């Protein structure tokens, strides 16, 4: 025969101060666990959205990122002519050779004078929008080809000095670039970039005759293998092709692992404190309720029933705390977080992206903490002698 669960709930209400403190401690741990996983998921999602499943990216063989890659412009036409590349209505191959650099720009609104961060600048040709169909200008207008104009991603818009519409910044010394538009790219990492004319960027940084990468639109995702085999087949070119989405997903791996590990370490120490808090609460409950335990035994309730009853209290308390922590973590979805990508060394804006799996696993972790924290006090309650309990 089991002890009525209403008895345990009334007991928790009677000890509301310690119950609330324990629940809030577990809520904090669940909040940290869920938030770190949501941020890692947001990083991966932001980077994967940067690539289209129907696009392929070509880099210099051995280069992990666009910053370290260089391809001669004479090779771009060979890449565009490879089988599987999609043509537009005029019969031209849909692709773009792009140049990538990183600039250190002054941040706004930090309260610290002279604080700078890295922003990635991408030199793009006039037809870039035909390849990157997820990009659209939402403020101002597109930059005119061959001019010192640029458009900025909405994640860096107004966050750095000179990146508002009508303002300008120095691409190089005495080479000001005017901001004429703002673009969005479905929440991808491209929104953390500045786009300028490819020739403007090349001449500013002495990269005439070179591009960092070539992005092409494929006739279909199934055409990638044939395209890659053709591009990589000529060993003299020294090129490597990959799916664009795969490339950007790889760029997020290091940062996502770091955030998950850091959140895990913090959550580990917090969880130890939460379990100790739950254990102290339940030990105090056992010591204060000796007569109740003795009465329950006298009424015929078995030791396993008493064990389950006290274990239910700690688990129920933990699940309440876990629910509070999960709800608090959901509010982080409204927060945007920026940090350096450890692969490209550019500042990228991320969001906390929740999933049902993250929330459920975080709450389960809270319940496990309640079970571990309440187990030994529950065992002590079940082992109490009826006579000693009644005398307590």
């Amino acid at each position: 025969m089991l002890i009525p669960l209403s008895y345990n709930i009334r007991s928790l209400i009677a000890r509301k101060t310690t119950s609330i403190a324990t629940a809030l401690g577990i809520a904090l741990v669940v909040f940290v666990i869920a938030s770190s996983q949501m941020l890692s998921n947001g990083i991966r999602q932001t980077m994967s959205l940067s690539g289209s499943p129907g696009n392929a990216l070509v880099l210099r063989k051995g280069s992990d990122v666009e910053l370290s890659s260089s391809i001669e412009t004479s090779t771009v036409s060979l890449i565009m002519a490879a089988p599987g590349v999609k043509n537009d209505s005029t019969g031209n191959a849909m692709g773009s050779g792009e140049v990538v650099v990183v600039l250190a720009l002054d941040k706004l609104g930090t309260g610290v004078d002279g604080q700078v961060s890295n922003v990635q600048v991408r030199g793009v040709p006039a037809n870039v929008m035909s390849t990157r169909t997820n990009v659209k200008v939402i403020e101002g207008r597109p930059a005119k080809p061959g001019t010192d104009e640029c458009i900025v991603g909405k994640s860096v818009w107004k966050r750095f000095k000179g990146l508002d519409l009508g303002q300008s910044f120095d691409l190089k010394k005495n080479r000001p670039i005017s901001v004429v538009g703002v673009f969005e790219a479905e929440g991808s990492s491209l929104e953390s970039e500045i786009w300028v004319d490819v020739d403007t960027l090349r001449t500013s940084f002495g990269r005439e005759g070179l591009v960092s990468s070539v992005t092409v639109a494929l006739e279909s995702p199934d055409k990638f293998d044939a395209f890659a085999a053709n591009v990589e087949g000529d060993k003299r070119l020294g090129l490597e092709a990959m799916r664009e989405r795969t490339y950007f997903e790889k760029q997020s791996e290091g940062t996502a692992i770091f955030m998950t590990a850091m959140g895990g370490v913090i959550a580990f120490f917090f969880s130890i404190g939460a379990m100790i808090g739950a254990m102290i609460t339940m030990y105090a409950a056992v010591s204060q309720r000796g007569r109740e335990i003795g009465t329950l035994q006298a009424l015929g309730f078995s030791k396993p029933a008493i064990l389950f009853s006290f274990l239910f209290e700690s688990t129920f308390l933990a699940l309440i705390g876990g629910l509070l922590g999960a709800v608090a973590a959901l509010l982080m979805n409204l927060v945007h977080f920026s940090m350096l990508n450890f692969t490209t060394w550019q500042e990228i804006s991320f969001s906390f992206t929740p999933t049902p799996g993250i929330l459920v696993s975080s709450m389960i972790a809270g319940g496990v903490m309640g079970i571990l924290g309440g187990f030994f006090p529950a065992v002590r309650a079940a082992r109490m002698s009826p006579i000693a309990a009644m005398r307590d």
Side-chain angles (χ1 to χ4, degrees), residues 208-230:
E208 293 86 348
L210 297 173
V211 295
S212 301
S213 64
V214 179
T215 302
V216 298
L218 300 175
E219 294 173 353
S220 72
D222 297 335
K223 300 289 185 179
F224 173 77
D225 291 337
F227 170 79
N230 183 275

Side-chain angles (χ1 to χ4, degrees), residues 60 233-239:
R60 174 66 59 187
D234 191 340
K235 303 301 181 183
R236 293 172 300 175
L237 298 179
L239 301 177

Side-chain angles (χ1 to χ4, degrees), residues 78-156:
L78 298 177
I79 297 172
M80 299 292 191
V85 177
K86 187 177 181 180
N87 293 330
D88 59 20
S89 57
T90 62
N92 295 319
M94 296 174 61
S96 58
E98 301 170 355
V99 179
V100 173
V101 300
V102 171
L103 290 184
L105 298 179
D106 294 321
K107 298 188 71 172
L108 296 176
T110 60
V112 180
D113 293 335
Q115 184 171 351
V116 299
S117 188
N118 292 338
V119 180
Q120 186 160 284
V121 182
R122 184 179 296 272
V124 296
N127 68 336
V128 65
M129 295 297 188
S130 65
T131 307
R132 301 188 184 277
T133 56
N134 62 333
V135 176
K136 64 179 181 179
V137 176
I138 57 173
E139 297 283 347
R141 60 173 176 82
K144 295 179 181 178
T147 65
D148 290 348
E149 295 180 345
C150 75
I151 56 177
V152 300
K154 71 175 186 179
S155 293
V156 295

